[in-house]
Amino acid sequence: MNRPDLTHMTKVEVVVGAADVAAVRGVFEAAGATGFTSVSAVSGLGHGGYHQGRLLFNQQGALELLITVVGDDALDGLIAGLGPLLQERPGVMFVSDTYVSRPEYFA
Amino acid sequence: MTSPIASVIPETSAPRLARTRDRPASLPQRRSERARLRTDVALATEVLAPVWPLQQFIAINPLGGLEGRAFEDAVLATESTLGIRGTLDEASYRREYARGRISDAELRSALRRRLSSSLDRTLVLGGQRWDAADLLRVDLVHGTPAPAARRESRTLAERTAPAVAEAIDRQTTKWCAAFLDRGQATWVMPGRELGLFGAWRRLARADRSLPAAARQRVSGIPERGEDALLWALDELRIPAVEHRGYLQAHLACLPGWAGHVRWRAEHTGDVDIVDYLAVRVVLERLLLSPAGADPAPIPPPAPVERAPDTASRARHVVAALGATAEVSSDERRALAALLDLLPVETRRFVWLEAYEARFRNDLLADLTPRPESSRDDDLRDGQRATGGAEPVVERPAAQLVCCIDTRSELLRRHLEALGPYETLGFAGFFAVAVRFQSLAGGAATSRCPVLIEPSNELREHAASGHERGAARRISGLRAIDGAERSFHAAKDDLFGPFALAEASGWLTGPAAAARTFASAGYARARASIRQHVAPEALTDLPVEEAFTFDERTLLAEVALRMMGLTEGFGRLVVLCGHGSTTENNPYASALQCGACGGHPGDLNARIAAAILNGAGVREHLDAAGIEIPVDTWFVAAEHDTTSDRIRLLDRHLLPNSHAGAWDALAADLDRAGTASSAERCASLPGAGTPRSASAAVRHTRARGSDWAQVYPEWGLAGNAAFIVGPRELTRGLDLGGRAFLHSYDADGDPSGASLETILTAPLVVAEWINLQYYFSTVDPDLFGAGTKTIHNVVGGIGVLSGPGGDLRRGLPWQSVAIGDQLVHEPVRLLAAVQAPTARIDAIVDRNPLLQDLIGNGWISLAARGQASDPWLRHTSRGWMPWTTTNDEAR
């Protein structure tokens, strides 16, 4: 896609357990991401089987989706931090191209 | 995008990180290093459980971060990283064996469950044939003990300069106590807005306890914690691949402070574990070589004591057997191969399982229906039953809903013995998760399990028509608070104590004497004065403001369905929270309701009762199939677990039509409380043998007001089981206060939604409590808080043992033992659930947290579909009969 009104950036989405959310946020910050969006209590089916989403009285047992958008200068840092984390902790990471209209928000 | 990330340190301010590099790292490179460091820190921290502040002591599994691993693996890993002891030692288990607490049969069963078919053979030794399990049992009982667990990862300072390592710990304690203080210190640490590392960096330049050369170098250290930590690691020549292990070694030095920093980072966000590590590792670099010379080479690790090899174990076994004939070398090799199946380091886990078997087998046998004649015999004997506890068949005189807390079991049992009462168990927050601000104001507190972050807020109001009384109470409380603050401020002032002693010594001296020698009278006098200055005021809880109608109806329906109370309502349904009244007890919150976040449960009971009495909510429940009679009234009460007093809350809301019913119930609650106190009194140290039940009551109540009493009550000591099912399962049984009891009606929960909530929340809290008691007992030094007698409250967040050292975590020794005698048996939790196993399987399959807890051996799970079914054991191979071997059949 080549549109002059949009700027190419990279979107990183991470799904982890509630216990690892702080670690992911720490990596986001250290890598230079300027913000993120989080969606709590996501559910789904993975190689570990079906994972229940929202539990009535236990938010710590839930999964959380964290999304950030970064430029090339922060991407290496994100991968350097998140890769080893997800090798040892349950979770997944998706990296994809994305386009934003206000790139200054993400740099 | 939301939530911009703030940082007080500009990242462009970081100087060159790597002293070995030819040119400064680029910004992307620096960011990568920081991000990788963040991950190393996060993974290093997983062995470290957060340490809650004392005001809201929360019992947790100290190895909670490792629940994804098998219990045994997690214990062994933590023993080598933190140097803890994760089980009793073999000598302790052998003493239990010697006194008959562990039997040969239980040992053999534990071996068979661990090694299964590998034990289906015999070995010939010296012409005599031996059962394989028996040979391993001999090794367990007579083998050379395994060496004590030892922390393997150590910091450079610990290995090369122990005095420096001690200095780092002293500095860490000093600065953490100052930075993390929550209002106890008179002077606030300057520069706190810079974060722990930034504030330390600013002040360390003038810290005369550091060498002058080290102080001079502080200014050249990167300002940002991450960069400073990377700088120090690089200076110490710690390769990047070893960062995680090295940082873990630093976390292991003072796990209490590190654990509290972790809690603060996750809950209040005013400190960062990276900053904590940066202070320590930078100090290490500076103190190991103040002038900046290269650090000394890292010496090889000290040799560790080796466990006996299998050949020597085999010789030991042969000697213990007293074999008279010569044992051939082939026979010895075969024996050694057998012993190889059970490495020395893992023998403790066989002992643990055998140790757990007695209570579990006995409990499940008691929960198994027997012929009426047999049960009648038990009731007559009074061995395990209280007698007179016939099931309620008609409308109960009242229903008492207690917390699942193990202490409720006594009260329930004694009340049921007094009349046609029905009791139920439910998590003591009564499904109400709220942030609460009392009439007196102050900081709001979360009243719910720490598994939940409440989104509703409620502020207590004066009851209509009682505004003047409320105003008087508020002004009285402010006056008391002001007086206390002034008194403490005078004590902390430089010259104030002299004037204070002159001005108030005539009063405080006799008061201290009265408090010591007549504690009950002193407590009554103080309460009387307090009541005079700030008389109790009637208040209302505006539940309609705090919760939407949909939230109230959901809460009401969930609570009733979860506890299986959907029909057969009495005229009075008492929601009985619990709290504890003790004096001069930094661990007071450990005795409060865990389901209410370490607070008393009175508020949650009041809110739940108010919601359940709401007309609109009743209409909704009626439409949902829960028909509550119009004459049923929910009332809130509180059980003081130290005194066993039960008091009615919000009496002004009780209809006149129900006053008589309450008075009758209150009289029986008083009798039940007396019986509970008398029962508890027998186990309290120093209680002697009271002459009567009323003398026992006086004694237990006096303990709560005694400021020198280190054993006000036993809390949840002894907890070992979590029973989910109808009360018929346990009614009439004396469970000795060892079981969490959660009511559940499987027939009324075909979808399993209620059971899923029970297993993913109350069971998790019970598991945390159980393992907090377990680990505080097996390692009172590192997992427990040690003896109370030398505790020194620091920063309003925790205690030290004496003037310095690590922040203590876990429970004090006086919560689990008397002298060297354990009161709490360190066993893991057994969850016994009466529900269809297919339903349980479905719930476990979709909840990884349950897969971890059950599959990894943090708890054991037994289940049966209905009362007439035999108990089944959840295993990795599916459900098996609870007694799987002849050894276990009793």
Side-chain angles (χ1 to χ4, degrees):
Chain A
M1 188 164 70
N2 185 16
R3 294 194 49 152
D5 52 344
L6 294 177
T7 301
H8 174 258
M9 301 195 89
T10 303
K11 180 167 69 173
V12 177
E13 299 162 281
V14 184
V15 179
V16 290
D20 294 318
V21 167
V24 173
R25 289 182 182 179
V27 170
F28 281 3
E29 180 185 8
T34 57
F36 62 87
T37 298
S38 66
V39 182
S40 60
V42 296
S43 61
L45 182 68
H47 77 281
Y50 182 75
H51 195 294
Q52 183 74 312
R54 184 177 301 280
L55 295 171
L56 196 53
F57 295 135
N58 186 347
Q59 294 167 345
Q60 294 185 13
L63 292 179
E64 190 157 329
L65 166 66
L66 296 111
I67 308 165
T68 190
V69 172
V70 294
D72 290 343
D73 57 342
L75 182 59
D76 287 346
L78 279 178
I79 306 300
L82 294 173
L85 182 70
L86 295 173
Q87 278 178 7
E88 302 214 20
R89 305 291 300 165
V92 291
M93 172 171 65
F94 311 107
V95 181
S96 56
D97 290 332
T98 194
Y99 293 84
V100 301
S101 57
R102 291 185 287 193
E104 67 275 14
Y105 280 25
F106 305 98
Chain B
M1 302 296 269
T2 57
S3 306
I5 302 168
S7 174
V8 293
I9 305 297
E11 63 179 344
T12 51
S13 70
R16 188 170 69 90
L17 294 177
R19 64 199 285 279
T20 53
R21 293 182 189 126
D22 295 332
R23 54 195 171 84
S26 65
L27 181 60
Q29 186 181 349
R30 206 153 57 220
R31 285 173 167 174
S32 289
E33 290 174 336
R34 291 171 184 162
R36 180 59 207 253
L37 178 73
R38 282 277 165 191
T39 288
D40 286 332
V41 171
L43 293 174
T45 311
E46 69 177 5
V47 295
L48 205 64
V51 176
W52 261 259
L54 271 186
Q55 293 90 335
Q56 50 178 131
F57 182 94
I58 300 298
I60 54 159
N61 174 8
L63 305 190
L66 302 175
E67 284 175 350
R69 302 191 204 178
F71 173 82
E72 186 173 320
D73 293 344
V75 164
L76 290 171
T78 314
E79 285 181 343
S80 67
T81 51
L82 294 185
I84 56 96
R85 190 174 67 209
T87 65
L88 293 177
D89 57 24
E90 284 189 286
S92 300
Y93 287 125
R94 287 173 179 174
R95 280 196 294 275
E96 295 299 305
Y97 173 81
R99 73 178 184 93
R101 172 61 184 77
I102 300 173
S103 69
D104 284 335
E106 287 157 353
L107 268 181
R108 276 197 300 268
S109 294
L111 282 166
R112 286 194 183 283
R113 269 198 297 280
R114 184 183 188 87
L115 301 172
S116 59
S117 57
S118 304
L119 297 185
D120 293 336
R121 57 182 161 140
T122 57
L123 272 69
V124 175
L125 298 174
Q128 193 171 348
R129 189 167 292 280
W130 296 90
D131 182 78
D134 274 334
L135 293 172
L136 286 173
R137 185 184 57 77
V138 170
D139 179 56
L140 282 165
V141 174
H142 300 288
T144 305
R150 178 179 177 276
R151 180 156 70 90
E152 290 172 8
S153 59
R154 295 191 174 266
T155 66
L156 195 56
E158 286 179 295
R159 282 190 262 168
T160 61
V164 169
E166 289 173 15
I168 295 168
D169 287 349
R170 275 198 307 277
Q171 293 282 342
T172 304
T173 292
K174 178 176 75 178
W175 292 112
C176 279
F179 185 85
L180 300 172
D181 179 82
R182 292 179 117 189
Q184 183 177 331
T186 308
W187 292 350
V188 176
M189 181 176 176
R192 291 186 80 258
E193 69 282 2
L194 298 174
L196 174 60
F197 179 76
W200 171 82
R201 184 175 176 277
R202 176 185 283 184
L203 296 174
R205 283 175 273 190
D207 183 359
R208 295 277 172 179
S209 66
L210 296 177
R215 294 202 303 272
Q216 288 165 8
R217 297 189 64 214
V218 170
S219 302
I221 297 167
E223 293 179 32
R224 189 173 167 127
E226 292 156 347
D227 296 339
L229 180 53
L230 285 165
W231 170 84
L233 289 166
D234 189 63
E235 287 273 315
L236 292 171
R237 307 280 178 84
I238 309 297
V241 294
E242 294 178 15
H243 280 181
R244 176 181 166 187
Y246 196 75
L247 296 173
Q248 215 159 43
H250 267 280
L251 293 172
C253 291
L254 297 172
W257 282 117
H260 184 64
V261 168
R262 181 179 171 191
W263 180 85
R264 289 278 278 265
E266 293 173 359
H267 290 83
T268 64
D270 59 347
V271 67
D272 183 353
I273 193 76
V274 169
D275 275 11
Y276 171 86
L277 286 165
V279 170
R280 284 190 60 90
V281 184
V282 167
L283 269 170
E284 183 178 34
R285 176 65 188 112
L286 295 178
L287 295 179
L288 278 176
S289 178
D294 283 344
I298 301 175
V304 296
E305 189 184 352
R306 296 286 172 203
D309 60 27
T310 47
S312 73
R313 287 170 66 193
R315 284 195 297 276
H316 218 95
V317 169
V318 169
L321 289 172
T324 51
E326 180 66 24
V327 178
S328 72
S329 56
D330 282 350
E331 289 171 348
R332 286 181 189 277
R333 273 197 293 275
L335 176 59
L338 173 70
L339 295 172
D340 250 345
L341 297 174
L342 186 66
V344 171
E345 313 80 67
T346 63
R347 287 195 308 217
R348 291 171 293 145
F349 299 100
V350 176
W351 278 112
L352 172 60
E353 193 161 336
Y355 186 55
E356 293 169 337
R358 180 77 51 90
F359 171 79
R360 293 175 175 186
N361 291 337
D362 287 350
L363 175 68
L364 294 182
D366 283 342
L367 298 182
T368 301
R370 287 159 293 158
E372 282 302 316
S373 56
S374 153
R375 199 164 182 104
D376 289 345
D377 288 344
D378 276 3
L379 291 174
R380 274 194 297 276
D381 294 344
Q383 295 290 317
R384 297 273 300 166
T386 51
E390 293 302 319
V392 177
V393 290
E394 296 181 355
R395 190 178 193 191
Q399 282 145 331
L400 186 76
V401 184
C402 293
C403 181
I404 60 172
D405 189 289
T406 56
R407 291 167 289 183
S408 301
E409 189 259 319
L410 279 74
L411 180 70
R412 294 176 61 181
R413 172 163 35 94
H414 288 296
L415 180 67
E416 287 167 348
L418 293 173
Y421 297 113
E422 186 177 312
T423 71
L424 300 99
F426 188 71
F429 76 118
F430 297 108
V432 175
V434 68
R435 280 190 63 76
F436 172 68
Q437 189 163 49
S438 73
L439 181 71
T445 53
S446 295
R447 303 298 187 99
C448 56
V450 295
L451 296 166
I452 309 170
E453 189 62 42
S455 54
N456 299 81
E457 291 193 20
L458 186 147
R459 181 168 187 154
E460 193 175 32
H461 287 179
S464 178
H466 295 271
E467 289 79 4
R468 289 184 61 184
R472 187 179 168 196
R473 176 163 177 78
I474 292 170
S475 65
L477 289 174
R478 285 181 180 159
I480 293 170
D481 184 55
E484 288 177 348
R485 282 175 184 273
S486 300
F487 185 78
H488 288 291
K491 282 203 302 182
D492 295 335
D493 188 69
L494 193 57
F495 300 108
F498 301 105
L500 185 67
E502 288 294 325
S504 65
W506 62 274
L507 178 62
T508 54
R515 201 175 179 186
T516 303
F517 300 110
S519 58
Y522 176 85
R524 280 195 298 274
R526 193 177 59 176
S528 174
I529 294 170
R530 198 176 177 86
Q531 173 66 11
H532 181 73
V533 177
E536 291 285 345
L538 298 183
T539 61
D540 281 342
L541 301 173
V543 293
E544 292 83 3
E545 293 174 18
F547 299 89
T548 66
F549 177 73
D550 287 346
E551 287 171 336
R552 297 199 303 277
T553 54
L554 175 68
L555 182 158
E557 187 174 348
V558 164
L560 293 175
R561 291 199 187 284
M562 274 181 70
M563 68 177 86
L565 182 58
T566 55
E567 58 184 4
F569 291 88
R571 286 189 75 225
L572 274 183
V573 180
V574 182
L575 305 181
C576 189
H578 66 94
S580 168
T581 307
T582 58
E583 276 290 320
N584 190 31
N585 180 10
Y587 282 84
S589 69
L591 298 174
Q592 309 291 6
C593 180
C596 300
H599 300 283
D602 55 344
L603 172 83
N604 298 72
R606 293 173 65 197
I607 296 173
I611 289 173
L612 284 160
N613 286 326
V617 170
R618 293 278 186 100
E619 286 172 14
H620 167 87
L621 291 172
D622 194 55
I626 303 176
E627 297 177 26
I628 302 176
V630 290
D631 68 344
T632 292
W633 191 256
F634 290 83
V635 298
E638 185 185 47
H639 171 205
D640 187 320
T641 54
T642 310
S643 67
D644 277 317
R645 283 192 178 101
I646 296 92
R647 73 186 169 101
L648 173 66
L649 307 168
D650 291 333
R651 176 147 206 151
H652 62 291
L653 299 179
L654 182 70
N656 289 335
S657 56
H658 289 66
W662 168 259
D663 289 342
L665 173 62
D668 279 341
L669 283 171
D670 196 44
R671 293 169 61 198
T674 298
S676 297
S677 274
E679 184 179 329
R680 288 193 303 112
C681 194
S683 67
L684 291 169
T689 310
R691 289 192 304 274
S692 63
S694 56
V697 170
R698 282 196 299 277
H699 179 83
T700 54
R701 290 180 179 174
R703 295 177 89 94
S705 57
D706 184 353
W707 71 338
Q709 181 54 259
V710 292
Y711 297 96
E713 60 159 293
W714 277 120
L716 292 97
N719 72 82
F722 182 89
I723 301 173
V724 182
R727 180 58 171 157
E728 287 72 35
L729 200 62
T730 52
R731 193 179 169 97
L733 289 177
D734 177 358
L735 298 171
R738 300 195 66 181
F740 299 89
L741 300 179
H742 201 302
S743 296
Y744 175 65
D745 173 21
D747 292 339
D749 181 39
S751 72
S754 292
L755 184 60
E756 181 163 16
T757 303
I758 292 169
L759 296 182
T760 55
L763 175 61
V764 173
V765 172
E767 181 250 359
W768 285 6
I769 293 170
N770 170 263
L771 289 171
Q772 182 81 81
Y773 273 83
Y774 172 93
F775 284 111
S776 294
T777 307
V778 299
D779 193 340
D781 292 327
L782 280 172
F783 277 139
T787 178
K788 279 181 175 180
T789 54
I790 56 170
H791 278 176
N792 180 20
V793 178
V794 60
I797 52 176
V799 299
L800 305 178
S801 288
D806 197 9
L807 191 70
R808 302 308 304 256
R809 51 193 190 143
L811 293 161
W813 186 239
Q814 284 85 356
S815 293
V816 295
I818 305 170
D820 58 359
Q821 293 296 310
L822 296 185
V823 170
H824 177 73
E825 285 193 341
V827 295
R828 290 166 294 178
L829 195 69
L830 167 70
V833 182
Q834 187 162 302
T837 52
R839 184 181 302 171
I840 297 171
D841 284 338
I843 291 168
V844 173
D845 284 349
R846 61 177 177 259
N847 284 286
L849 77 94
L850 292 176
Q851 294 162 21
D852 286 347
L853 293 185
I854 299 165
N856 290 335
W858 298 92
I859 62 174
S860 289
L861 176 61
R864 69 181 181 194
Q866 51 192 352
S868 57
D869 294 340
W871 285 103
L872 301 175
R873 184 194 301 268
H874 188 281
T875 76
S876 58
R877 291 171 288 145
W879 292 97
M880 308 285 282
W882 179 259
T883 51
T884 53
T885 70
N886 289 334
D887 296 321
E888 273 183 306
R890 297 169 60 83

